[in-house]
Structures are given as C-alpha cells and as structure tokens.
Amino acid sequence: MDSLREALWRAAANRRARLPRTSSLPPAEVDDAVRAVLTRAFEHLWEHGWLPYDVYEVVRRNEDERALSFLVDSLALEASRYPALHPRWQEQLAEIGATVWWDVGRPHLDQWATRHIELRDDAVAAAVAVLAVLIALPALPVIVPKPGSPLAAIDHHHVDPKVLNRVRGLLAKAESTAFPDEAEALTAKAQELVTRHALERMPLEAPTTTSRRLWLDKRYFDGKAHVVHVVAEANRCRAVVYDLGFVALVGEELDLEIVELLSASLLVQATRAMVAAGEKARKGDEERSAAFRKSFLLSYAHRIGERLRTANEVSDDDRLLPVLAERRKAVEEYFGAMFSRTVAKSTPVRSAAGWDAGRSAADRADLSIG
C-alpha cells in the first residue's frame, strides 16, 4: 500500500504524472491509500491555520463539482476521527453539508463512484485533483484550536441570538425590497441596533477577540473587499485582504458576526444597484464595462463607510471611552500578533461615471434613524 500512496502523492505533485491503475487492486487497499494521503494533507493544513470552509472554497474555485463532492465527503470522514471539534468547525461542516452518508463498514471510494455513476479510477482521479490543490496551499494564521486538541471543543461564543435574529430580519427585508431608500434605511437600522447592543454590553463583558475569514466571489473582488473593510472598521474590527479570495477579520465575536451579516447584505444591495445602473445601457456603453463596475463598488464602499461612521457616532458619555479604548487595544494587539507584516494596496478608479453612480447608490437614504 505504501507504493500506492507514493504514486498518488507523485500524481498530485506533478499533474502530468500518470495516475496509478487501481481496478485490479483490492477495494479496501485503494481506499486506505487514498484516505492516508488525504489525512496527511489535512493534518498539515490544520496545523497551519486552515479550516474546513477555507479548504472547501479553495477547491471550489480551482476544481470541478466532482472533485468538490469528493472533498466534502473527505472532510466528513476527517471530522469523524476527532472526539472534540471546535464550534466553528461544526458550523462550517454543517454549512457545506459534510456528513457521512455511506456505509462506513465498506470502502468509501467505491460507494462514491457508484453514487456518481463513475468508475473507481475516476474516484481516484477526483481524490488526486483535491490533493493537488491541498498540497500547494500556503500557511495561514491559526485562529481556532486544531481538531483533537484539549481546547478544540471550548466555545467562547457570547453572541446574543435575539440580537442576531433581529439583525438578520432587518437585513433580509433590505435584500428583498425593490426600493433602494427602504433597503438602505433598513440596513442603517440594523447597524444602529448592533451599535446600541455593543455599547450596552461593553461595561459588562470581557473582550473575546478572535478572527474570522470571509470568502468573496472573485469577480470585482477588490471592490467587494473594500465594502467588507469599511463595515469592519465601523464595527471596531480590522481587516486584511488575501488574494486567495477572502478577507481576514479581527475583532470581538459579536462584532465579527455583524460584519459578516452586514457585509453580505450590503454586497447584495450593491450588486443589484450596479446591475440596475447598466440595465438601460447598450452593449459597449461605459455602464456595462468592468471599469465602471469596479469604480462603482469602490465609490459605494467609500460612501457606505462615511454613513456607517455617522450612524455610529456615540453620545457624550465619557464613561464609555475607557471601555472603547480597551476594546480597540485588544483588537490591535491580536491583530499585531497575527499579522506582523501587511502591505497597503491601492486600487485605481478608471470610471468617473462609475464612481458617481456608486456614490449615488450609497447616498439615497437618510441614515439618521430615530
């Protein structure tokens, strides 16, 4: 079996290498070899900061549905090895649908092949495609304990579900309405609710600073990442953009939850407004160009940042200033420990019309709620 493992690893490291033929080998031997090489790759990734959803996203962006399906099963199998999983792991496995659906008493590889109307060699090819992506990934900062460690199952999650549910309700209404003014007013109301709740609980709770990763679609990635950045800044968080396709966020747990929710809602609204801006334009017009849309998103983000800062203005309560300073210090220290070197990045604006349209889209509603 060792020779088969080595052949699989070589094939993943060099995509021009020939895949080993496995049809004549015992099913259990092939299954064990595939599982062994993937386990080796997974263990390396968990040691170097990767989480299940991160792995899912990077494979989704680089391979086909067949490889992605095999990865999801492999993650379910990997998770079953550990008696303790961090709540973040549990959430992410549930989000991607990683469950053990097959008969664990029989080799998974052949059952996967049967389910997808494939041959065993096709299943091996899918496994090698997944492995080829995994072994090329860089190290990331460790943000939760690796599976199996004593701290893996400890939950430091202090988010009030009632607040999150109210915020989700407001943002869902903002996404579904056809009226831009109403959408932005609802978004501002959600931000006001979050800010009020954060300030109310600040004197009562110790900071629980942590980090999350928010994956974004590659199309117009810089503009979308800038939207996330301004939302993070308005909610006392820090953000770092990775070219892999995600934004790393650092902040207090509730604030990070809100940044994810609010960013998702604002990106839906921005996309809808951006598409609407080009609906009446003809093919070849500036409103349908990539430069217009990139500039639109950058302007939209810039103006949203201004408005969220206005919505977050705190009344003259000097008692909160030391608490706010403590929270900022905790976030900055955590951020500095995670990211010793960051590089500022500028994105050029190449369409004045796109900039004006983006600012207009973000400027329609009055954000001075109540």
Side-chain angles (χ1 to χ4, degrees):
M1 188 173 72
D2 288 344
S3 61
L4 180 55
R5 292 183 189 180
E6 292 171 4
L8 294 171
W9 201 271
R10 282 198 306 271
N14 181 5
R15 297 301 293 270
R16 291 179 292 180
R18 294 185 63 182
L19 289 171
R21 303 295 295 178
T22 62
S23 54
S24 61
L25 297 174
E29 180 178 329
V30 179
D31 198 68
D32 287 346
V34 168
R35 183 173 180 179
V37 294
L38 285 173
T39 296
R40 175 182 166 188
F42 283 140
E43 287 178 344
H44 178 79
L45 291 174
W46 310 150
E47 288 277 358
H48 291 83
W50 287 78
L51 296 175
Y53 191 79
D54 301 328
V55 174
Y56 173 87
E57 275 294 326
V58 80
V59 171
R60 184 180 71 83
R61 292 157 192 253
N62 289 280
E63 291 295 336
D64 58 18
E65 287 293 328
R66 186 177 64 164
L68 187 63
S69 168
F70 197 90
L71 170 75
V72 171
D73 282 6
S74 299
L75 287 170
L77 195 59
E78 171 72 4
S80 69
R81 297 173 53 221
Y82 302 103
L85 290 176
H86 191 278
R88 190 91 59 87
W89 261 68
Q90 297 171 8
E91 293 169 5
Q92 293 187 5
L93 291 169
E95 185 173 354
I96 64 177
T99 57
V100 177
W101 55 265
W102 59 93
D103 179 357
V104 295
R106 297 189 294 119
H108 162 259
L109 198 73
D110 284 5
Q111 293 180 75
W112 183 91
T114 299
R115 190 183 208 196
H116 292 270
I117 319 176
E118 301 275 11
L119 300 174
R120 184 196 297 168
D121 283 343
D122 298 320
V124 171
V128 169
V130 169
L131 185 63
V133 175
L134 301 188
I135 63 178
L137 297 178
L140 298 177
V142 176
I143 59 177
V144 300
K146 68 177 182 178
S149 65
L151 298 176
I154 297 177
D155 188 2
H156 297 292
H157 204 270
H158 296 297
V159 179
D160 186 340
K162 292 181 180 179
V163 174
L164 282 182
N165 287 338
R166 290 178 64 191
V167 171
R168 285 190 180 100
L170 288 166
L171 296 182
K173 290 180 181 178
E175 292 174 15
S176 62
T177 181
F179 302 100
D181 287 0
E182 182 183 11
E184 293 204 27
L186 288 165
T187 302
K189 186 66 178 176
Q191 180 67 34
E192 181 194 37
L193 172 63
V194 169
T195 302
R196 185 171 67 246
H197 177 72
L199 295 177
E200 285 172 352
R201 82 189 200 291
M202 272 184 177
L204 305 176
E205 298 180 12
T208 54
T209 309
T210 184
S211 179
R212 286 176 175 263
R213 297 178 186 128
L214 184 57
W215 288 83
L216 303 171
D217 290 335
K218 280 285 191 178
R219 193 166 176 81
Y220 310 120
F221 174 74
D222 287 345
K224 293 174 181 176
H226 196 53
V227 173
V228 177
H229 170 77
V230 298
V231 174
E233 199 172 53
N235 286 281
R236 301 160 294 280
C237 298
R238 292 289 303 273
V240 173
V241 178
Y242 276 74
D243 289 337
L244 283 167
F246 68 85
V247 179
L249 300 165
V250 174
E252 200 273 340
E253 189 69 55
L254 173 62
D255 295 335
L256 295 180
E257 289 267 8
I258 296 308
V259 170
E260 290 189 21
L261 287 168
L262 191 55
S263 296
S265 176
L266 286 169
L267 287 172
V268 168
Q269 296 174 59
T271 301
R272 188 170 56 217
M274 184 173 66
V275 171
E279 271 183 348
K280 297 180 180 179
R282 295 172 296 180
K283 186 176 181 180
D285 286 353
E286 183 178 359
E287 287 79 3
R288 291 195 175 185
S289 67
F292 178 92
R293 294 188 169 188
K294 289 177 181 178
S295 301
F296 182 105
L297 285 171
L298 291 171
S299 177
Y300 181 90
H302 180 76
R303 184 55 179 153
I304 287 295
E306 292 177 346
R307 298 198 138 214
L308 290 180
R309 285 191 293 274
T310 300
N312 278 347
E313 286 181 354
V314 183
S315 59
D316 297 330
D317 188 346
D318 293 339
R319 293 172 299 174
L320 283 176
L321 296 180
V323 181
L324 287 167
E326 181 185 352
R327 292 297 166 90
R328 290 193 189 98
K329 181 181 178 182
V331 170
E332 290 299 326
E333 289 178 350
Y334 196 101
F335 182 87
M338 283 186 64
F339 304 104
S340 57
R341 292 182 61 189
T342 56
V343 178
K345 180 181 179 181
S346 60
T347 305
V349 175
R350 303 188 186 280
S351 170
W355 180 269
D356 292 342
R359 187 173 181 86
S360 176
D363 202 29
R364 290 191 183 101
D366 180 6
L367 299 187
S368 54
I369 304 297

